[in-house]
Amino acid sequence: YLVKRSKGAATPLNPKDLKVFEQFLAAADIPDERFASLAKARAERIQGMLVAKGAAPKSVSLGGQAPPVPQSPGLAGVEIALGAVGDSGKLQASKGR
Protein backbone atom coordinates (compact mmCIF):
# COMPACT_ATOMS: atom_id res chain seq x y z
CA TYR A 1 0.00 0.00 0.00
CA LEU A 2 2.62 2.56 1.05
CA VAL A 3 4.93 1.77 -1.86
CA LYS A 4 2.08 2.33 -4.32
CA ARG A 5 1.06 5.56 -2.56
CA SER A 6 4.65 6.83 -2.60
CA LYS A 7 4.60 6.48 -6.39
CA GLY A 8 1.42 8.54 -6.66
CA ALA A 9 -1.09 5.70 -7.05
CA ALA A 10 -4.52 6.34 -5.53
CA THR A 11 -4.66 3.07 -3.64
CA PRO A 12 -7.52 2.67 -1.15
CA LEU A 13 -7.00 0.81 2.10
CA ASN A 14 -8.48 -2.65 2.24
CA PRO A 15 -11.64 -2.84 4.42
CA LYS A 16 -9.84 -4.56 7.34
CA ASP A 17 -7.11 -1.92 7.47
CA LEU A 18 -9.62 0.88 7.01
CA LYS A 19 -11.56 -0.31 10.06
CA VAL A 20 -8.38 -0.33 12.18
CA PHE A 21 -7.42 3.10 10.86
CA GLU A 22 -10.85 4.54 11.70
CA GLN A 23 -10.63 3.08 15.23
CA PHE A 24 -7.20 4.67 15.64
CA LEU A 25 -8.49 8.05 14.50
CA ALA A 26 -11.48 7.86 16.82
CA ALA A 27 -9.18 7.14 19.78
CA ALA A 28 -6.50 9.69 18.86
CA ASP A 29 -6.49 12.99 20.68
CA ILE A 30 -5.08 15.46 18.17
CA PRO A 31 -5.04 19.06 19.43
CA ASP A 32 -6.64 21.75 17.30
CA GLU A 33 -3.30 23.56 17.20
CA ARG A 34 -1.82 20.63 15.28
CA PHE A 35 -4.55 20.84 12.64
CA ALA A 36 -4.09 24.61 12.44
CA SER A 37 -0.34 24.15 11.95
CA LEU A 38 -0.89 21.62 9.16
CA ALA A 39 -3.47 23.87 7.48
CA LYS A 40 -1.09 26.84 7.59
CA ALA A 41 1.75 24.79 6.13
CA ARG A 42 -0.53 23.54 3.36
CA ALA A 43 -1.74 27.06 2.54
CA GLU A 44 1.82 28.43 2.47
CA ARG A 45 2.88 25.62 0.14
CA ILE A 46 0.01 26.38 -2.25
CA GLN A 47 0.77 30.10 -2.06
CA GLY A 48 4.39 29.41 -3.00
CA MET A 49 3.36 27.19 -5.89
CA LEU A 50 0.99 29.85 -7.27
CA VAL A 51 3.70 32.52 -7.09
CA ALA A 52 6.22 30.14 -8.69
CA LYS A 53 3.76 29.64 -11.57
CA GLY A 54 3.52 33.39 -12.18
CA ALA A 55 0.88 34.78 -9.82
CA ALA A 56 1.78 38.19 -8.45
CA PRO A 57 2.82 37.73 -4.79
CA LYS A 58 0.59 40.62 -3.69
CA SER A 59 -2.41 38.93 -5.29
CA VAL A 60 -2.09 35.73 -3.24
CA SER A 61 -3.07 36.01 0.41
CA LEU A 62 -3.60 33.57 3.26
CA GLY A 63 -5.90 33.34 6.23
CA GLY A 64 -9.06 34.75 4.74
CA GLN A 65 -7.49 38.13 4.10
CA ALA A 66 -8.25 38.54 0.42
CA PRO A 67 -6.44 41.09 -1.69
CA PRO A 68 -8.50 44.08 -2.81
CA VAL A 69 -11.17 43.32 -5.37
CA PRO A 70 -10.02 44.37 -8.86
CA GLN A 71 -11.80 47.55 -9.94
CA SER A 72 -10.63 47.58 -13.54
CA PRO A 73 -12.62 45.75 -16.21
CA GLY A 74 -10.85 42.70 -17.52
CA LEU A 75 -9.00 41.88 -14.30
CA ALA A 76 -9.98 38.54 -12.87
CA GLY A 77 -9.73 37.13 -9.38
CA VAL A 78 -9.93 33.58 -8.13
CA GLU A 79 -10.71 32.51 -4.60
CA ILE A 80 -9.86 29.01 -3.44
CA ALA A 81 -11.05 27.66 -0.09
CA LEU A 82 -9.52 24.50 1.29
CA GLY A 83 -11.13 22.50 4.04
CA ALA A 84 -11.37 19.07 5.54
CA VAL A 85 -13.69 16.62 3.84
CA GLY A 86 -15.91 16.71 6.92
CA ASP A 87 -16.24 20.50 6.58
CA SER A 88 -17.67 20.71 3.08
CA GLY A 89 -17.11 17.38 1.37
CA LYS A 90 -15.03 18.95 -1.40
CA LEU A 91 -12.72 21.76 -2.33
CA GLN A 92 -14.47 24.92 -3.34
CA ALA A 93 -13.41 27.47 -5.88
CA SER A 94 -15.14 30.56 -7.14
CA LYS A 95 -14.11 32.82 -10.00
CA GLY A 96 -14.43 36.53 -10.42
CA ARG A 97 -14.53 38.51 -7.25
Side-chain angles (χ1 to χ4, degrees):
Y1 171 80
L2 292 177
V3 172
K4 290 178 183 177
R5 290 292 304 234
S6 72
K7 294 180 181 178
T11 307
L13 287 171
N14 70 46
K16 181 180 174 185
D17 291 337
L18 182 58
K19 183 177 179 180
V20 171
F21 179 66
E22 288 173 346
Q23 290 171 342
F24 170 77
L25 287 180
D29 183 22
I30 303 170
D32 289 341
E33 295 80 22
R34 178 67 177 139
F35 286 117
S37 174
L38 291 170
K40 183 178 183 223
R42 177 178 62 177
E44 289 171 347
R45 173 76 178 185
I46 293 169
Q47 181 185 37
M49 291 170 60
L50 290 171
V51 171
K53 292 288 185 178
K58 290 182 180 181
S59 69
V60 182
S61 65
L62 300 177
Q65 298 175 355
V69 176
Q71 299 297 319
S72 302
L75 292 179
V78 177
E79 180 179 302
I80 301 172
L82 302 175
V85 173
D87 291 342
S88 65
K90 60 183 174 184
L91 297 180
Q92 301 173 8
S94 61
K95 290 185 181 179
R97 297 155 103 238

